């Protein structure tokens, strides 16, 4: 899907003069807001932004001061997985 956002002509120059590609910045802002609101998961955000690894996503979230949703249950699952692998 390729959504379109209409921006008044007199503002386009201001947005394009700022940091980086306007389309990418819009996608990142949209995805970040959806993640913060709980509408998409970390994996969904990673795929939306085209990141290959969780490490890239973590860097993105850190750069945008976004809280990483990591619960005690997530930690317990990781510990159990490590134990099954012999660590």
């Amino acid at each position: 899907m390729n959504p379109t956002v209409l921006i008044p002509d007199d503002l386009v120059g201001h947005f394009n003069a700022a940091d980086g590609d306007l389309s990418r910045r819009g996608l990142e802002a949209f995805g970040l807001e959806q993640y913060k609101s709980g509408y998409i998961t970390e994996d969904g955000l990673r795929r939306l932004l085209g990141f290959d690894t969780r490490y890239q996503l973590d860097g993105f979230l850190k750069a945008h001061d976004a809280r990483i949703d990591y619960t005690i249950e997530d930690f317990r699952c990781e510990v159990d997985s490590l134990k099954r692998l012999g660590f």
Side-chain angles (χ1 to χ4, degrees), residues 12-83:
V12 172
H14 297 290
F15 293 133
N16 282 331
D19 301 329
D21 175 35
L22 181 58
S23 294
R24 178 63 188 189
R25 288 182 17 240
L27 180 65
E28 289 176 355
F30 172 75
L32 189 59
E33 186 59 34
Q34 296 303 298
Y35 171 73
K36 287 180 175 180
S37 298
Y39 294 118
I40 60 173
T41 63
E42 288 178 17
D43 185 59
L45 180 59
R46 183 188 59 75
R47 290 185 298 118
L48 177 70
L49 299 180
F51 294 142
D52 294 324
T53 66
R54 166 80 187 248
Y55 182 75
Q56 290 172 299
L57 178 63
D58 288 349
F60 172 82
L61 292 173
K62 184 176 180 180
H64 290 86
D65 296 321
R67 180 180 61 85
I68 297 173
D69 190 20
Y70 189 80
T71 66
I72 190 68
E73 186 59 35
D74 294 330
F75 174 76
R76 288 182 181 137
C77 286
E78 287 188 12
V79 168
D80 290 343
S81 295
L82 289 171
K83 284 180 181 178

